PDB file of all heavy atoms in Angstrom:
ATOM      1  N   SER I   4    -171.722 223.242  66.893  1.00  0.00           N
ATOM      2  CA  SER I   4    -172.198 224.196  65.907  1.00  0.00           C
ATOM      3  C   SER I   4    -173.622 224.569  66.295  1.00  0.00           C
ATOM      4  O   SER I   4    -174.254 223.901  67.109  1.00  0.00           O
ATOM      5  CB  SER I   4    -172.169 223.558  64.516  1.00  0.00           C
ATOM      6  OG  SER I   4    -172.504 224.498  63.536  1.00  0.00           O
ATOM      7  N   ASN I   5    -174.142 225.643  65.717  1.00  0.00           N
ATOM      8  CA  ASN I   5    -175.525 226.015  66.008  1.00  0.00           C
ATOM      9  C   ASN I   5    -176.238 226.395  64.728  1.00  0.00           C
ATOM     10  O   ASN I   5    -175.642 226.490  63.670  1.00  0.00           O
ATOM     11  CB  ASN I   5    -175.584 227.151  67.035  1.00  0.00           C
ATOM     12  CG  ASN I   5    -174.977 228.434  66.523  1.00  0.00           C
ATOM     13  OD1 ASN I   5    -175.258 228.863  65.410  1.00  0.00           O
ATOM     14  ND2 ASN I   5    -174.135 229.051  67.333  1.00  0.00           N
ATOM     15  N   SER I   6    -177.532 226.624  64.856  1.00  0.00           N
ATOM     16  CA  SER I   6    -178.341 226.900  63.669  1.00  0.00           C
ATOM     17  C   SER I   6    -178.569 228.388  63.476  1.00  0.00           C
ATOM     18  O   SER I   6    -179.402 228.796  62.694  1.00  0.00           O
ATOM     19  CB  SER I   6    -179.683 226.181  63.780  1.00  0.00           C
ATOM     20  OG  SER I   6    -180.383 226.659  64.916  1.00  0.00           O
ATOM     21  N   GLY I   7    -177.810 229.229  64.172  1.00  0.00           N
ATOM     22  CA  GLY I   7    -177.977 230.680  64.080  1.00  0.00           C
ATOM     23  C   GLY I   7    -177.436 231.251  62.789  1.00  0.00           C
ATOM     24  O   GLY I   7    -177.408 230.604  61.751  1.00  0.00           O
ATOM     25  N   ASP I   8    -176.961 232.471  62.878  1.00  0.00           N
ATOM     26  CA  ASP I   8    -176.414 233.141  61.699  1.00  0.00           C
ATOM     27  C   ASP I   8    -175.258 232.342  61.116  1.00  0.00           C
ATOM     28  O   ASP I   8    -174.617 231.575  61.793  1.00  0.00           O
ATOM     29  CB  ASP I   8    -175.928 234.542  62.072  1.00  0.00           C
ATOM     30  CG  ASP I   8    -177.086 235.453  62.430  1.00  0.00           C
ATOM     31  OD1 ASP I   8    -178.206 235.183  61.969  1.00  0.00           O
ATOM     32  OD2 ASP I   8    -176.859 236.424  63.170  1.00  0.00           O
ATOM     33  N   GLY I   9    -174.986 232.550  59.867  1.00  0.00           N
ATOM     34  CA  GLY I   9    -173.867 231.865  59.233  1.00  0.00           C
ATOM     35  C   GLY I   9    -174.251 230.504  58.683  1.00  0.00           C
ATOM     36  O   GLY I   9    -173.420 229.625  58.591  1.00  0.00           O
ATOM     37  N   LEU I  10    -175.515 230.303  58.330  1.00  0.00           N
ATOM     38  CA  LEU I  10    -175.916 229.036  57.731  1.00  0.00           C
ATOM     39  C   LEU I  10    -175.069 228.808  56.494  1.00  0.00           C
ATOM     40  O   LEU I  10    -174.855 229.699  55.688  1.00  0.00           O
ATOM     41  CB  LEU I  10    -177.406 229.045  57.389  1.00  0.00           C
ATOM     42  CG  LEU I  10    -178.314 229.098  58.626  1.00  0.00           C
ATOM     43  CD1 LEU I  10    -179.744 229.369  58.219  1.00  0.00           C
ATOM     44  CD2 LEU I  10    -178.224 227.819  59.419  1.00  0.00           C
ATOM     45  N   THR I  11    -174.586 227.606  56.344  1.00  0.00           N
ATOM     46  CA  THR I  11    -173.516 227.358  55.389  1.00  0.00           C
ATOM     47  C   THR I  11    -173.949 227.037  53.972  1.00  0.00           C
ATOM     48  O   THR I  11    -173.151 227.127  53.069  1.00  0.00           O
ATOM     49  CB  THR I  11    -172.625 226.214  55.905  1.00  0.00           C
ATOM     50  OG1 THR I  11    -173.434 225.084  56.161  1.00  0.00           O
ATOM     51  CG2 THR I  11    -171.900 226.627  57.157  1.00  0.00           C
ATOM     52  N   ARG I  12    -175.174 226.637  53.756  1.00  0.00           N
ATOM     53  CA  ARG I  12    -175.562 226.250  52.408  1.00  0.00           C
ATOM     54  C   ARG I  12    -176.894 226.892  52.087  1.00  0.00           C
ATOM     55  O   ARG I  12    -177.856 226.738  52.819  1.00  0.00           O
ATOM     56  CB  ARG I  12    -175.666 224.739  52.327  1.00  0.00           C
ATOM     57  CG  ARG I  12    -176.016 224.227  50.958  1.00  0.00           C
ATOM     58  CD  ARG I  12    -175.991 222.703  50.946  1.00  0.00           C
ATOM     59  NE  ARG I  12    -176.439 222.194  49.684  1.00  0.00           N
ATOM     60  CZ  ARG I  12    -176.889 220.982  49.492  1.00  0.00           C
ATOM     61  NH1 ARG I  12    -176.940 220.146  50.495  1.00  0.00           N
ATOM     62  NH2 ARG I  12    -177.270 220.584  48.310  1.00  0.00           N
ATOM     63  N   THR I  13    -176.958 227.612  50.999  1.00  0.00           N
ATOM     64  CA  THR I  13    -178.213 228.228  50.581  1.00  0.00           C
ATOM     65  C   THR I  13    -178.569 227.708  49.203  1.00  0.00           C
ATOM     66  O   THR I  13    -177.753 227.743  48.296  1.00  0.00           O
ATOM     67  CB  THR I  13    -178.092 229.768  50.528  1.00  0.00           C
ATOM     68  OG1 THR I  13    -177.748 230.243  51.824  1.00  0.00           O
ATOM     69  CG2 THR I  13    -179.398 230.405  50.114  1.00  0.00           C
ATOM     70  N   GLU I  20    -186.415 229.611  48.627  1.00  0.00           N
ATOM     71  CA  GLU I  20    -185.129 229.592  49.320  1.00  0.00           C
ATOM     72  C   GLU I  20    -185.085 228.519  50.399  1.00  0.00           C
ATOM     73  O   GLU I  20    -186.032 228.324  51.145  1.00  0.00           O
ATOM     74  CB  GLU I  20    -184.867 230.947  49.960  1.00  0.00           C
ATOM     75  CG  GLU I  20    -183.530 231.002  50.652  1.00  0.00           C
ATOM     76  CD  GLU I  20    -183.318 232.303  51.376  1.00  0.00           C
ATOM     77  OE1 GLU I  20    -184.129 232.642  52.234  1.00  0.00           O
ATOM     78  OE2 GLU I  20    -182.313 232.956  51.062  1.00  0.00           O
ATOM     79  N   ALA I  21    -183.948 227.827  50.480  1.00  0.00           N
ATOM     80  CA  ALA I  21    -183.701 226.832  51.522  1.00  0.00           C
ATOM     81  C   ALA I  21    -182.293 227.046  52.042  1.00  0.00           C
ATOM     82  O   ALA I  21    -181.377 227.293  51.266  1.00  0.00           O
ATOM     83  CB  ALA I  21    -183.847 225.421  50.961  1.00  0.00           C
ATOM     84  N   VAL I  22    -182.133 226.984  53.351  1.00  0.00           N
ATOM     85  CA  VAL I  22    -180.791 227.052  53.937  1.00  0.00           C
ATOM     86  C   VAL I  22    -180.538 225.777  54.704  1.00  0.00           C
ATOM     87  O   VAL I  22    -181.455 225.166  55.255  1.00  0.00           O
ATOM     88  CB  VAL I  22    -180.599 228.290  54.840  1.00  0.00           C
ATOM     89  CG1 VAL I  22    -180.591 229.560  54.024  1.00  0.00           C
ATOM     90  CG2 VAL I  22    -181.643 228.356  55.921  1.00  0.00           C
ATOM     91  N   TRP I  23    -179.290 225.362  54.725  1.00  0.00           N
ATOM     92  CA  TRP I  23    -178.903 224.074  55.285  1.00  0.00           C
ATOM     93  C   TRP I  23    -177.619 224.275  56.067  1.00  0.00           C
ATOM     94  O   TRP I  23    -176.691 224.897  55.566  1.00  0.00           O
ATOM     95  CB  TRP I  23    -178.661 223.121  54.121  1.00  0.00           C
ATOM     96  CG  TRP I  23    -178.481 221.687  54.449  1.00  0.00           C
ATOM     97  CD1 TRP I  23    -177.428 221.125  55.111  1.00  0.00           C
ATOM     98  CD2 TRP I  23    -179.352 220.624  54.109  1.00  0.00           C
ATOM     99  NE1 TRP I  23    -177.605 219.774  55.185  1.00  0.00           N
ATOM    100  CE2 TRP I  23    -178.776 219.442  54.584  1.00  0.00           C
ATOM    101  CE3 TRP I  23    -180.564 220.557  53.441  1.00  0.00           C
ATOM    102  CZ2 TRP I  23    -179.370 218.208  54.412  1.00  0.00           C
ATOM    103  CZ3 TRP I  23    -181.140 219.330  53.271  1.00  0.00           C
ATOM    104  CH2 TRP I  23    -180.565 218.167  53.749  1.00  0.00           C
ATOM    105  N   ARG I  24    -177.556 223.762  57.280  1.00  0.00           N
ATOM    106  CA  ARG I  24    -176.329 223.865  58.083  1.00  0.00           C
ATOM    107  C   ARG I  24    -176.013 222.508  58.680  1.00  0.00           C
ATOM    108  O   ARG I  24    -176.836 221.921  59.369  1.00  0.00           O
ATOM    109  CB  ARG I  24    -176.517 224.867  59.214  1.00  0.00           C
ATOM    110  CG  ARG I  24    -175.396 224.850  60.231  1.00  0.00           C
ATOM    111  CD  ARG I  24    -174.556 226.048  60.100  1.00  0.00           C
ATOM    112  NE  ARG I  24    -173.375 225.978  60.932  1.00  0.00           N
ATOM    113  CZ  ARG I  24    -172.744 227.022  61.349  1.00  0.00           C
ATOM    114  NH1 ARG I  24    -173.172 228.218  61.029  1.00  0.00           N
ATOM    115  NH2 ARG I  24    -171.666 226.899  62.067  1.00  0.00           N
ATOM    116  N   CYS I  25    -174.827 222.013  58.410  1.00  0.00           N
ATOM    117  CA  CYS I  25    -174.386 220.758  58.995  1.00  0.00           C
ATOM    118  C   CYS I  25    -173.972 221.018  60.442  1.00  0.00           C
ATOM    119  O   CYS I  25    -173.123 221.856  60.707  1.00  0.00           O
ATOM    120  CB  CYS I  25    -173.215 220.177  58.214  1.00  0.00           C
ATOM    121  SG  CYS I  25    -172.570 218.685  58.978  1.00  0.00           S
ATOM    122  N   LEU I  26    -174.596 220.313  61.375  1.00  0.00           N
ATOM    123  CA  LEU I  26    -174.255 220.430  62.782  1.00  0.00           C
ATOM    124  C   LEU I  26    -173.236 219.376  63.194  1.00  0.00           C
ATOM    125  O   LEU I  26    -172.551 219.533  64.193  1.00  0.00           O
ATOM    126  CB  LEU I  26    -175.518 220.311  63.644  1.00  0.00           C
ATOM    127  CG  LEU I  26    -176.623 221.337  63.335  1.00  0.00           C
ATOM    128  CD1 LEU I  26    -177.859 221.040  64.172  1.00  0.00           C
ATOM    129  CD2 LEU I  26    -176.133 222.751  63.565  1.00  0.00           C
ATOM    130  N   ASP I  40    -178.126 217.645  60.613  1.00  0.00           N
ATOM    131  CA  ASP I  40    -178.222 218.942  59.958  1.00  0.00           C
ATOM    132  C   ASP I  40    -179.454 219.721  60.400  1.00  0.00           C
ATOM    133  O   ASP I  40    -180.448 219.146  60.850  1.00  0.00           O
ATOM    134  CB  ASP I  40    -178.301 218.755  58.438  1.00  0.00           C
ATOM    135  CG  ASP I  40    -177.112 218.026  57.878  1.00  0.00           C
ATOM    136  OD1 ASP I  40    -176.107 218.686  57.615  1.00  0.00           O
ATOM    137  OD2 ASP I  40    -177.178 216.797  57.712  1.00  0.00           O
ATOM    138  N   PHE I  41    -179.387 221.035  60.196  1.00  0.00           N
ATOM    139  CA  PHE I  41    -180.497 221.947  60.408  1.00  0.00           C
ATOM    140  C   PHE I  41    -180.918 222.450  59.036  1.00  0.00           C
ATOM    141  O   PHE I  41    -180.077 222.833  58.220  1.00  0.00           O
ATOM    142  CB  PHE I  41    -180.054 223.122  61.290  1.00  0.00           C
ATOM    143  CG  PHE I  41    -181.069 224.222  61.388  1.00  0.00           C
ATOM    144  CD1 PHE I  41    -182.139 224.109  62.266  1.00  0.00           C
ATOM    145  CD2 PHE I  41    -180.958 225.352  60.605  1.00  0.00           C
ATOM    146  CE1 PHE I  41    -183.074 225.127  62.358  1.00  0.00           C
ATOM    147  CE2 PHE I  41    -181.888 226.378  60.686  1.00  0.00           C
ATOM    148  CZ  PHE I  41    -182.951 226.263  61.575  1.00  0.00           C
ATOM    149  N   VAL I  42    -182.241 222.461  58.770  1.00  0.00           N
ATOM    150  CA  VAL I  42    -182.769 222.904  57.475  1.00  0.00           C
ATOM    151  C   VAL I  42    -183.861 223.934  57.720  1.00  0.00           C
ATOM    152  O   VAL I  42    -184.723 223.734  58.580  1.00  0.00           O
ATOM    153  CB  VAL I  42    -183.350 221.708  56.674  1.00  0.00           C
ATOM    154  CG1 VAL I  42    -183.960 222.179  55.364  1.00  0.00           C
ATOM    155  CG2 VAL I  42    -182.295 220.654  56.435  1.00  0.00           C
ATOM    156  N   ARG I  43    -183.819 225.027  56.966  1.00  0.00           N
ATOM    157  CA  ARG I  43    -184.884 226.037  57.023  1.00  0.00           C
ATOM    158  C   ARG I  43    -185.379 226.283  55.604  1.00  0.00           C
ATOM    159  O   ARG I  43    -184.585 226.565  54.708  1.00  0.00           O
ATOM    160  CB  ARG I  43    -184.381 227.337  57.625  1.00  0.00           C
ATOM    161  CG  ARG I  43    -185.500 228.390  57.732  1.00  0.00           C
ATOM    162  CD  ARG I  43    -185.012 229.748  58.217  1.00  0.00           C
ATOM    163  NE  ARG I  43    -184.410 229.635  59.523  1.00  0.00           N
ATOM    164  CZ  ARG I  43    -183.280 230.251  59.871  1.00  0.00           C
ATOM    165  NH1 ARG I  43    -182.634 231.003  59.023  1.00  0.00           N
ATOM    166  NH2 ARG I  43    -182.779 230.114  61.076  1.00  0.00           N
ATOM    167  N   LEU I  44    -186.694 226.180  55.407  1.00  0.00           N
ATOM    168  CA  LEU I  44    -187.312 226.429  54.101  1.00  0.00           C
ATOM    169  C   LEU I  44    -188.250 227.625  54.207  1.00  0.00           C
ATOM    170  O   LEU I  44    -189.070 227.691  55.123  1.00  0.00           O
ATOM    171  CB  LEU I  44    -188.121 225.220  53.625  1.00  0.00           C
ATOM    172  CG  LEU I  44    -187.380 223.910  53.403  1.00  0.00           C
ATOM    173  CD1 LEU I  44    -188.364 222.824  52.986  1.00  0.00           C
ATOM    174  CD2 LEU I  44    -186.301 224.070  52.367  1.00  0.00           C
ATOM    175  N   GLU I 106    -188.651 224.924  59.904  1.00  0.00           N
ATOM    176  CA  GLU I 106    -187.345 224.536  60.426  1.00  0.00           C
ATOM    177  C   GLU I 106    -187.391 223.079  60.836  1.00  0.00           C
ATOM    178  O   GLU I 106    -188.325 222.649  61.522  1.00  0.00           O
ATOM    179  CB  GLU I 106    -186.944 225.416  61.613  1.00  0.00           C
ATOM    180  CG  GLU I 106    -186.744 226.861  61.218  1.00  0.00           C
ATOM    181  CD  GLU I 106    -186.295 227.737  62.365  1.00  0.00           C
ATOM    182  OE1 GLU I 106    -186.353 227.299  63.535  1.00  0.00           O
ATOM    183  OE2 GLU I 106    -185.882 228.871  62.092  1.00  0.00           O
TER     184      GLU I 106
END
Side-chain angles (χ1 to χ4, degrees):
S4 186
N5 65 47
S6 61
D8 292 336
L10 293 169
T11 55
R12 182 176 175 201
T13 300
E20 182 184 57
V22 291
W23 190 292
R24 170 108 188 205
C25 176
L26 303 175
D40 301 275
F41 171 81
V42 177
R43 182 185 300 137
L44 298 178
E106 295 182 348

